[in-house]
Amino acid sequence: MSQASGGAAPAAAPSPADIAHHSKARTPVEVTGAQSLVLALEAVGVDTVFGIPGGAILPAYDPLLDSVKVRHILVRHEQGAGHAAEGYASATGKVGVCMATSGPGATNLVTAISDAYMDSVPMVAITGQVASASIGSDAFQEADIRGITFPITKHNYLVTNAADIPRVIAEAFHIASTGRPGPVLVDIAKDALQARTTFLWPPAIDLPGYHPVTRPHHKQIREAARYIARAKRPVLYVGGGVIRAHATEELARFVELTQIPVVTTLMARGALPDSHPLHLGMPGMHGSVAAVTALQKADLLITLGARFDDRVTGQLSTFAPEAKVIHADIDPAEISKNRTADVPIVGDCKAVITDLVEEVDRDIDAGNAGDYAAWRKLTMGWKATFPVGYTEATDGSVAPQAVIEAIGRIAGPEATYVAGVGQHQMWAAQFVSYERPMSWLNSGGAGTMGYAVPAAMGAKVAEPQRVVWAIDGDGCFQMTNQELATCVINDIPIKVAIINNSSLGMVRQWQSLFYNERYSNTDLHTSVGSRIPDFVKLAEAYGCVGLRCERPEDIDATIEKAMEINDVPVVIDFVVHRDAMVWPMVAAGVSNDLIQVAKDTAPQWDRGESEAIEQPEDVLTGPTGRTDTDGGDR
């Protein structure tokens, strides 16, 4: 059946008219495995693939050239292909697709696959593999990518028979996009791509045992409504699962019905508009005082599509000590994994919230509404007393928070904002007002430096009519800035704001707080003492417009100039104050009760009114006096 590598050239791809005819008639058409792959991608609705060709995947690239439906974008690094597929998926909810060859091509996708797995991003990664007869022989550019990615994919395939390609592609897209979304790997042997086969669509899907529970059990919904009615201090703890489930309209209805205060995690920014009066902000290590404190003092957590991540809970044993927990999630493995649920609900967040609205509405009509007026007044008081803010630099330098705040104000809520990882990520989460879902893209679970530029590229490809800003750090930017070449060549005019403090900023912050200002290997030399590289010149070398802003009074004008340029990418080097820090802050591994609003300054809740008091410097250390050494840049 199969042809050896270097054998006869593949047959010409069927014309679109031929395929349309055969599809309507549901009759098979003779093709190569590679042609079958491209036809299957077209059939599942793929319009964009990000990738790089190489020997083992090369047979697939020939018929890809003939496709009238699938646009292939040649990236400069496979990691960029993976993050671009993530950005495409996160901006739209559709499955993102990336492609690479065997060996190092495939392994370069691993970081992006892991990132997608942590953040529940629907993605299909297609890799070439050496010929099936050579698998396991340490052949040139062979890697067991299926084994490597087994822990970080929802499912993965090794295809050695060309006849399996349509079924595998159909299954991969189904698995990636249903239940808890996530990445699926399809590794295809080169001889399977070269072999002759028949293409028939749709194929018969065979997935025994894969039956995600989407409808919640009514008994659990009823029990949750009972808890909600009896609570005095409830909080809606909203995670990224609400966005992945496209359940934000249902969430808004639930909030309006119940009038319960809401917190949205880093992955859920935009699930409820920031302007909503009941929105307390983001919880967690760098969350707002109101959000963190509301969780700590709540008597009920209504947890929707969140997973009690350590960055939210702090020291788990001290998290929300008085709260009962309703936990709804599409993934049963998350229920009670970190915090025991009093009311576990397995189901799709859209269905769960819809059913909760109906059940709580019935309770309200029956006179069993909860009374949260005093609680709302208290939480709103915290929100007013301790807003997330910053202090302008006294030396005339640029405050990074001011830059990001201005970008959000000028670009507006219809823009898409994509962040790297570190201080700039937290400031972007804090100081841009998110009014719609899927307007905020970031690497939350994995914390991947290098995410922003390629993910912004993918988001812009997915929604070319939107303004897309990549808010990046000078460290993150240097990991994947080569994708600017991809943007220029393919007319993808993203805008990049480099928050340049000449450092690995979050690590430097931790060194300032916990390591006596011993700045070991965090100086990047990008603006202090030298410009290595000069980001403006680098941008221009790639064919972008390069701008620089070093004075506070120039911030708005520089951003407005970037907004006027829509035919090529724009890169702005914002040279900012080096020692600006992200506040509020809860150090890793300590109780959220130890939140600080500034260095050595924490809220004091035991007095008659909320006020901030001085606390000793060691308040940021862990319970044993040690500090967590994870600075968070990665």
Side-chain angles (χ1 to χ4, degrees), residues 103-455:
T107 59
N108 279 343
L109 284 176
V110 168
T111 296
I113 291 171
S114 177
D115 194 278
Y117 185 73
M118 289 287 280
D119 288 347
S120 304
V121 178
M123 184 172 83
V124 171
I126 300 168
T127 53
Q129 184 54 275
V130 299
S132 55
S134 299
I135 293 175
S137 69
D138 292 334
F140 176 67
Q141 290 195 333
E142 180 188 0
D144 179 11
I145 194 61
R146 190 181 184 198
I148 290 168
T149 60
F150 182 81
I152 55 171
T153 51
K154 277 191 74 176
H155 191 58
N156 58 30
Y157 295 87
L158 172 60
V159 181
T160 57
N161 186 340
D164 293 335
I165 290 174
R167 174 185 59 80
V168 167
I169 291 298
E171 290 178 1
F173 277 77
H174 176 69
I175 292 169
S177 59
T178 56
R180 180 178 182 171
V184 177
L185 175 85
V186 179
D187 194 32
I188 310 176
K190 186 173 184 178
D191 53 320
L193 292 170
Q194 293 172 319
R196 303 297 298 178
T197 185
T198 56
F199 177 79
L200 177 64
W201 196 268
I205 292 179
D206 182 25
L207 292 171
Y210 181 70
H211 303 291
V213 176
T214 58
R215 294 299 313 180
H217 197 289
H218 180 71
K219 179 182 176 182
Q220 300 306 96
I221 293 292
R222 180 74 214 109
E223 185 71 357
R226 188 171 67 88
Y227 271 71
I228 291 169
R230 294 190 311 186
K232 298 298 181 185
R233 302 187 307 278
V235 175
L236 277 162
Y237 165 22
V238 176
V242 170
I243 290 178
R244 296 287 186 249
H246 304 280
T248 56
E249 291 183 6
E250 289 76 12
L251 175 66
R253 285 199 292 273
F254 190 42
V255 173
E256 291 304 315
L257 176 68
T258 62
Q259 293 295 296
I260 293 173
V262 183
V263 302
T264 56
T265 68
L266 179 68
M267 295 304 298
R269 304 292 288 114
L272 187 76
D274 282 355
S275 59
H276 194 287
L278 291 173
H279 192 274
L280 300 178
M282 181 178 72
M285 176 177 280
H286 294 295
S288 71
V289 170
V292 172
T293 306
L295 290 176
Q296 285 301 96
K297 296 188 176 297
D299 66 0
L300 178 66
L301 301 184
I302 307 163
T303 308
L304 304 170
R307 55 190 180 87
F308 292 90
D309 174 73
D310 63 287
R311 284 312 200 240
V312 169
T313 66
Q315 186 180 48
L316 187 60
S317 62
T318 65
F319 176 68
E322 300 175 14
K324 298 292 185 181
V325 173
I326 299 167
H327 190 180
D329 202 287
I330 189 71
D331 186 354
E334 291 294 345
I335 305 290
S336 296
K337 183 179 78 174
N338 294 326
R339 173 69 177 261
T340 300
D342 297 280
V343 184
I345 305 174
V346 177
D348 179 83
C349 274
K350 195 180 189 79
V352 169
I353 300 172
T354 297
D355 287 1
L356 279 173
V357 167
E358 293 176 358
E359 197 65 34
V360 172
D361 197 27
R362 275 194 287 269
D363 281 351
I364 292 172
D365 288 342
N368 296 324
D371 181 6
Y372 319 126
W375 175 238
R376 280 195 300 271
K377 181 178 180 181
L378 185 61
T379 58
M380 292 305 113
W382 296 335
K383 182 179 177 180
T385 303
F386 294 104
V388 176
Y390 62 93
T391 302
E392 294 281 1
T394 57
D395 60 358
S397 61
V398 174
Q401 302 95 324
V403 170
I404 293 169
E405 191 172 57
I407 290 172
R409 171 171 43 81
I410 293 170
E414 290 305 311
T416 296
Y417 303 90
V418 188
V421 170
Q423 288 181 314
H424 63 279
Q425 175 192 28
M426 294 298 102
W427 288 321
Q430 292 173 334
F431 293 104
V432 174
S433 181
Y434 297 101
E435 297 294 307
R436 64 176 184 87
M438 300 189 213
S439 59
W440 162 247
L441 281 56
N442 81 123
S443 171
T448 304
M449 293 180 70
Y451 172 88
V453 170

